Amino acid sequence: MRTYKATGDSSDLLRAITAMLAQRDEAEAARRGDNTAGQGMGADGMLKLAHGMLSKLHDKGEIKDSDTFLMYATTLAALGHNDEAYAFVVSELAEQCVPMPIDRERLRATYAMRTGKYKEAMEHHMKVWEVAPDDWLSMNAILDLCQEATSLQEVMKDFGRLKVASY
């Protein structure tokens, strides 16, 4: 943070935010009893501070790369702001920061699922599947989302009616 305050360079701020999020992960591990590191501000405090700094960057229009974009989306989701995170990943900024359409649609599908927008998640996975028909992750996600629309018991009844033949 001192370097950023001295230079005003947003890359120095991003290094500070990355360090905060790493400390947050250590604090979470300490809270769970995994280790004794990260006893400083605490996981929630680190997350809120990182979010505040990333929000300032976003407001200034300084989020221009994929790492910063993903860091902000992840921070929003970690705070439980899933609707805001989804709106962020479907914004025009995503076109600039996540240039590969397949990666962009996977990201959008992930955040749509977190908000409970299953129809939108299905549409994003379908876009991935159109570009890459052999994409197993999206195919499995589409099948899972189709299952959400039907009762699992009905599906199991249909499986019981299948005739198996050996050739």
Side-chain angles (χ1 to χ4, degrees), residues 8-9 15 68 70 79-80 83 87 98 106 112 114 117 127-128 143 153 161 165:
D9 186 5
R15 280 191 279 281
T68 311
L70 294 172
L79 283 169
D83 289 326
V98 186
R106 277 191 189 129
R114 287 183 181 188
K117 297 179 180 184
K127 288 178 183 176
V128 171
L143 291 172
Q153 292 175 344
R161 293 185 196 129

Side-chain angles (χ1 to χ4, degrees), residues 26-91:
E26 288 179 17
E28 272 293 309
R31 187 181 62 77
R32 289 190 314 265
D34 295 347
N35 63 28
T36 57
Q39 300 293 331
M41 183 185 292
D44 291 336
M46 289 290 184
L47 182 61
K48 289 175 184 174
L49 185 58
H51 173 260
M53 292 178 174
L54 286 164
S55 293
K56 286 180 184 178
L57 284 178
H58 182 257
D59 293 343
K60 290 181 183 178
E62 293 186 18
I63 294 181
K64 297 177 182 173
D65 62 275
S66 61
D67 291 335
T68 311
F69 183 87
L70 294 172
M71 196 181 307
Y72 187 52
T74 302
T75 304
L76 286 169
L79 283 169
H81 302 209
N82 292 318
D83 289 326
E84 191 177 340
Y86 178 67
F88 180 66
V89 299
V90 297
S91 70

